């Protein structure tokens, strides 16, 4: 017979009480339901810890995933210098995608952290509390069972004693009756048997009373055990198990809420990736390529026909192929061949020019961009030095007003160093601005250069010659005309002549010592066939047909709309 589970299921006291018995009569065993509930509550705690282990492995997956994403972003987004910063929209969009992916990885880390704190950590703490509470309830149940067993033993011992005393009393009764009916028995023997009977009857009566008292006590404790103590312990175990179930439901919900809270931010990351994809502009990228590699040079002219049959005697019928007539005074094509040799580098190998500080080895447009970029960087560095100087001066003022805060003299070396750096930077900026002005043709108007040249030839000291030499003091400054790049004038001058767009008059003589330049004498009139492109050089043609570049500041230019060629 077993205890029904009304107390466990309904949480109320049950009137049906039954005890399971062992094979030995009279010895109650432990309740089967108590052992079953012991196993059930242990299973519940094991299940909770299993779920906690699941959450731990899940958050470890999130941590690993986030770590791998960050490593991937770092791998494809290395540190670059300012010159290597991407400018193309495709590169900028890819960098934006990497940034969004890095933010996405951060949200995965948030998920892992929240799971570890609000789910896994809470489950482990609750598991420890459940174990302690379950242990307490089971100990209370065992103590109650042990007390009931002890009461039963006392009752059983009193019962056995009563049974034993009753048997002894029956023996005494039989002994007394036998002697009393025996005519041969003496009076003393009969009296002794009678007193023994009275003693045994008294002892039996006392055992009976003790047994009755122990039985009453046992019945009372048993009633209390099955109607009060055990139902209360079962109810506590039931409440504990229900709280465990509720906690599992809460952690299930928390597990989902952790993911739900980061969904809006993850959605923004994905929207950012889509926006970055829409920002890719192929036309803008093409314009950047064109702007980056635009040189400012004109394409080379056509190659002339080289006639090697001039020295062959021809008959009258051989006159179908004649030697092309050369213009009067035009140099021999062989001369042009010599000049154009090793210059076919438009789509082939271009000879490497040495890297110069003024970047004159670069094409005009590239040179202008590089100089402007260098000036911007120098201005930023200068601003930093000025800010540092101002900060040091303020600190020095504070030290002078409050000597206990520091020695003002200790800042003077740093201030001097900063001022020295500022002077160096200003010098560099001025030098680069002069080179930039030279590229952009901002040395001054041509009329000013012409007037200064006239004065320099015929006039007073203190005026500047074309080479920039001063003769009125002993600190003479020599400034040479802009030197052409050896590879800058790789155009072919001996092909079909270009039409003249104007004429010019030489203000000064020019020796034309560099390749691609033209020798001219003062007051010589020349045809202009290509205007200054911003690099300080003008392409001209002599009356003889010889072409080349001369410094723009050395000539007085008159442009005409309808000028004839050679």
């Amino acid at each position: 017979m077993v205890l029904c589970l009304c107390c466990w299921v309904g949480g109320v006291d049950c009137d049906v009480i039954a005890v399971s018995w062992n094979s030995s009569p009279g010895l109650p065993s432990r309740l089967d339901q108590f052992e079953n509930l012991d196993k059930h509550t242990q299973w519940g705690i094991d299940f909770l810890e299993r779920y906690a282990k699941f959450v731990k492995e899940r958050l470890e997956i999130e941590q690993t995933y986030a770590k791998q994403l960050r490593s991937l972003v770092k791998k494809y987004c290395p540190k670059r210098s300012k010159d290597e910063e991407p400018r193309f929209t495709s590169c900028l969009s890819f960098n934006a995608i990497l940034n969004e992916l890095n933010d996405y990885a951060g949200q995965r880390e948030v998920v892992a952290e929240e799971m570890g704190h609000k789910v896994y950590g809470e489950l482990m703490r609750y598991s420890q509390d459940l174990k302690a509470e379950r242990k307490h309830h089971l100990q209370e149940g065992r103590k109650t069972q042990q007390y009931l067993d002890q009461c039963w033993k006392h009752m059983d011992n009193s019962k056995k004693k009563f049974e034993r005393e009753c048997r002894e009393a029956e023996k005494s009764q039989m002994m007394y009756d036998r002697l009393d009916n025996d005519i041969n028995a003496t009076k003393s023997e009969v009296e002794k048997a009678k007193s023994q009977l009275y003693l045994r009857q008294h002892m039996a009566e006392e055992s009976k009373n003790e047994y009755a008292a122990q039985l009453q006590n046992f019945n009372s404790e048993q009633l209390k055990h099955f109607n009060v103590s055990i139902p209360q312990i079962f109810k506590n175990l039931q409440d504990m198990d229900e709280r465990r179930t509720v906690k599992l439901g809460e952690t299930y919900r928390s597990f989902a809420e952790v993911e739900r809270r980061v969904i809006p931010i993850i959605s923004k990351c994905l929207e950012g990736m889509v926006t970055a994809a829409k920002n890719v502009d192929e036309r803008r990228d093409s314009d950047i390529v064109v702007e980056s590699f635009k040189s400012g040079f004109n394409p080379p002219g056509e190659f002339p026909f080289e006639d090697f049959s001039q020295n062959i005697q021809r008959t009258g019928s051989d006159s179908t192929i004649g030697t092309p007539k050369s213009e009067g005074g035009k140099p021999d094509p062989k001369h042009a061949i010599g000049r154009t040799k090793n210059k076919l580098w438009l789509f082939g190998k271009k000879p490497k020019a040495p890297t110069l500080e003024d970047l004159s080895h670069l094409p005009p447009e590239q040179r202008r961009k590089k100089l402007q970029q260098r000036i911007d960087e120098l201005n930023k560095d200068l601003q930093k030095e000025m800010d540092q100087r101002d900060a040091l001066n303020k600190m020095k003022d504070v030290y002078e007003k409050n000597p206990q805060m520091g020695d003002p003299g200790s800042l003077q070396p740093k201030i001097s160093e900063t001022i020295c750096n500022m002077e160096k930077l200003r010098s560099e900026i001025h030098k680069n601005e002069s080179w930039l002005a030279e590229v952009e043709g901002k040395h001054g108007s041509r009329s000013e250069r012409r007037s200064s040249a006239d004065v320099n030839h015929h006039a007073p000291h203190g005026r500047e010659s074309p080479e920039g030499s001063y003769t009125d003091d002993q600190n003479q400054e020599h400034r040479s005309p802009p030197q052409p790049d050896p590879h800058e004038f790789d155009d072919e001058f001996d092909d079909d002549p270009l039409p003249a767009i104007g004429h010019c008059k030489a203000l000064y003589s020019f020796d034309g010592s560099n390749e691609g330049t033209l020798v001219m004498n003062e007051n010589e009139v020349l045809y202009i066939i290509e205007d200054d492109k911003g690099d300080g050089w003008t392409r001209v043609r002599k009356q003889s047909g010889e072409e080349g570049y001369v410094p723009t500041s050395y000539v007085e230019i008159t442009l005409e709309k309808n000028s004839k060629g050679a």
Side-chain angles (χ1 to χ4, degrees):
M1 300 176 68
V2 296
L3 172 67
C4 86
L5 293 177
C6 296
C7 298
W8 174 262
V9 177
V12 297
D13 295 340
C14 179
D15 296 332
V16 181
I17 305 296
V19 179
S20 62
W21 301 88
N22 285 335
S23 57
S24 301
L27 296 177
S29 67
R30 298 180 63 185
L31 295 175
D32 295 338
Q33 284 71 22
F34 192 81
E35 294 178 356
N36 291 335
L37 293 180
D38 184 0
K39 294 177 182 178
H40 174 75
T41 52
Q42 182 61 47
W43 170 86
I45 293 175
D46 292 341
F47 181 79
L48 185 140
E49 291 182 342
R50 184 184 178 197
Y51 175 63
K53 184 178 180 183
F54 161 78
V55 174
K56 181 181 179 182
E57 292 182 2
R58 169 64 192 279
L59 69 89
E60 287 175 351
I61 291 174
E62 292 289 348
Q63 289 173 344
T64 303
Y65 180 45
K67 183 178 180 181
Q68 290 177 347
L69 284 179
R70 289 197 183 276
S71 298
L72 182 66
V73 171
K74 185 177 181 181
K75 177 181 178 181
Y76 285 92
C77 189
K79 294 181 180 179
R80 297 184 179 92
S81 62
K82 293 183 179 179
D83 295 336
E84 295 176 348
E85 286 295 328
R87 296 173 295 163
F88 300 107
T89 58
S90 57
C91 297
L92 294 173
S93 296
F94 180 62
N95 283 351
I97 290 174
L98 290 177
N99 292 333
E100 296 294 347
L101 187 60
N102 193 55
D103 294 341
Y104 176 82
Q107 293 308 306
R108 303 321 306 176
E109 290 176 345
V110 170
V111 170
E113 183 179 355
E114 292 290 325
M115 284 185 178
H117 176 68
K118 294 186 177 180
V119 183
Y120 176 72
E122 183 66 21
L123 284 172
M124 294 309 295
R125 287 190 295 270
Y126 192 72
S127 174
Q128 297 300 320
D129 294 342
L130 280 182
K131 288 179 180 179
E133 183 179 358
R134 173 180 174 273
K135 181 178 179 181
H136 172 72
H137 293 323
L138 294 179
Q139 286 177 348
E140 289 294 323
R142 291 188 182 93
K143 288 180 181 179
T144 303
Q145 184 66 37
Q146 289 173 0
Y147 179 70
L148 184 63
D149 292 343
Q150 186 178 4
C151 291
W152 182 86
K153 287 180 181 179
H154 290 310
M155 183 272 295
D156 187 57
N157 291 334
S158 63
K159 176 184 176 182
K160 290 179 180 179
K161 182 179 179 182
F162 173 58
E163 181 182 5
R164 189 170 55 250
E165 292 298 332
C166 286
R167 289 175 183 173
E168 292 294 331
E170 289 176 0
K171 289 181 182 180
S172 298
Q173 183 68 42
M174 292 174 62
M175 178 65 69
Y176 172 73
D177 291 340
R178 185 174 62 79
L179 291 174
D180 188 36
N181 294 326
D182 188 0
I183 57 176
N184 296 322
T186 63
K187 186 177 181 180
S188 60
E189 290 177 347
V190 174
E191 290 295 331
K192 182 178 181 182
K194 186 177 181 181
S195 62
Q196 185 69 22
L197 174 62
Y198 290 156
L199 178 62
R200 289 298 179 183
Q201 287 178 348
H202 178 71
M203 293 178 65
E205 188 65 26
E206 288 183 352
S207 298
K208 178 181 178 181
N209 294 335
E210 182 181 359
Y211 168 62
Q214 291 295 335
L215 180 61
Q216 184 179 5
N217 181 64
F218 173 75
N219 289 332
S220 174
E221 292 297 331
Q222 181 175 252
L223 184 64
K224 180 180 178 183
H225 176 82
F226 287 108
N227 289 277
V228 180
S229 301
I230 288 298
Q232 184 62 41
I233 293 172
F234 281 9
K235 187 176 185 304
N236 292 337
L237 290 173
Q238 179 183 358
D239 293 343
M240 181 192 75
D241 195 69
E242 288 177 353
R243 289 198 309 272
R244 175 191 63 83
T245 306
V246 171
K247 176 60 70 172
L248 279 173
E250 291 176 353
T251 53
Y252 292 163
R253 186 164 52 253
S254 299
F255 185 84
E257 288 294 333
V258 168
E259 286 279 358
R260 180 183 293 177
R261 279 194 290 270
V262 301
I263 286 177
I265 303 178
I266 290 178
S267 298
K268 289 183 179 179
C269 294
L270 297 178
E271 290 174 2
M273 293 182 186
V274 174
T275 303
K278 292 179 180 179
N279 290 337
V280 176
D281 187 350
E282 69 280 3
R283 295 303 306 168
R284 183 179 174 186
D285 287 358
S286 297
D287 293 341
I288 292 174
V289 174
V290 173
E291 187 67 21
S292 299
F293 300 110
K294 183 169 63 175
S295 66
F297 289 140
N298 289 326
E302 297 180 355
F303 281 91
F305 175 76
E306 302 178 17
D307 190 358
F308 298 100
S309 63
Q310 291 180 356
N311 297 327
I312 301 176
Q313 296 181 357
R314 291 185 174 82
T315 61
S317 61
D318 297 334
S319 61
T320 56
I321 301 178
T323 305
K325 296 181 181 180
S326 61
E327 297 182 9
K330 187 173 183 180
D332 190 356
K334 294 180 180 179
H335 179 66
I337 295 171
R339 286 188 297 167
T340 59
K341 194 177 293 183
N342 299 326
K343 295 178 186 176
L344 308 179
W345 46 264
L346 180 59
F347 297 104
K349 267 194 172 181
K350 179 179 178 180
K352 292 183 178 180
T355 302
L356 303 176
E357 184 184 5
D358 61 354
L359 304 177
S360 59
H361 61 288
L362 296 176
E365 188 67 21
Q366 300 298 320
R367 184 185 180 195
R368 182 187 65 79
K369 291 179 182 177
K370 292 290 184 181
L371 287 172
Q372 186 61 54
Q373 182 179 359
R374 185 189 292 176
I375 291 172
D376 293 341
E377 293 175 355
L378 289 172
N379 281 326
K380 290 180 181 178
D381 295 339
L382 178 60
Q383 186 61 43
K384 290 180 181 178
E385 295 293 336
M386 292 173 64
D387 294 341
Q388 185 176 1
R389 179 202 59 186
D390 296 341
L392 290 171
N393 286 331
K394 290 180 181 179
M395 189 180 297
K396 183 179 178 181
D397 293 340
V398 172
Y399 285 178
E400 289 175 350
K401 295 177 181 179
N402 303 284
Q404 67 275 10
M405 297 183 65
D407 181 16
S410 62
L411 299 176
Q412 190 59 42
K414 188 65 177 177
I415 295 175
S416 301
E417 181 184 353
T418 304
I419 294 174
C420 181
N421 292 338
M422 290 169 55
E423 292 300 325
K424 290 180 181 178
L425 289 171
R426 287 194 180 101
S427 175
E428 287 293 323
I429 292 172
H430 178 72
K431 181 168 61 175
N432 282 274
E433 285 178 344
S434 65
W435 289 335
L436 181 62
E438 178 184 338
V439 174
E440 295 178 344
K442 292 182 180 178
H443 295 293
S445 65
R446 291 192 175 99
S447 61
E448 290 176 354
R449 286 195 288 267
R450 286 199 299 271
S451 63
S452 65
D454 293 338
V455 173
N456 187 46
H457 273 279
H458 305 288
H461 297 291
R463 301 299 293 172
E464 189 177 5
S465 69
E467 287 76 15
S469 61
Y470 289 86
T471 58
D472 59 344
D473 61 25
Q474 298 182 5
N475 295 326
Q476 295 183 349
E477 179 185 359
H478 297 281
R479 186 176 61 187
S480 60
Q483 296 298 321
D485 185 1
H487 301 284
E488 188 173 358
F489 307 117
D490 285 336
D491 297 328
E492 175 56 57
F493 300 130
D494 295 322
D495 54 355
D496 293 339
L498 297 174
I501 60 174
H503 65 277
C504 63
K505 179 181 179 182
L507 300 175
Y508 320 107
S509 297
F510 181 63
D511 57 4
S513 59
N514 294 314
E515 184 177 2
T517 59
L518 187 66
V519 178
M520 68 177 180
N521 299 319
E522 186 178 354
N523 295 324
E524 183 178 1
V525 177
L526 307 168
Y527 291 110
I528 299 174
I529 59 176
E530 185 178 319
D531 198 7
D532 187 352
K533 299 296 185 181
D535 55 358
W537 295 89
T538 301
R539 186 174 177 182
V540 299
R541 181 191 299 127
K542 287 188 175 185
Q543 298 290 338
S544 63
E546 186 178 1
E547 297 178 1
Y549 284 91
V550 297
T552 304
S553 59
Y554 278 42
V555 293
E556 181 180 2
I557 297 176
T558 303
L559 295 178
E560 301 174 356
K561 292 185 178 179
N562 296 318
S563 291
K564 293 183 179 181

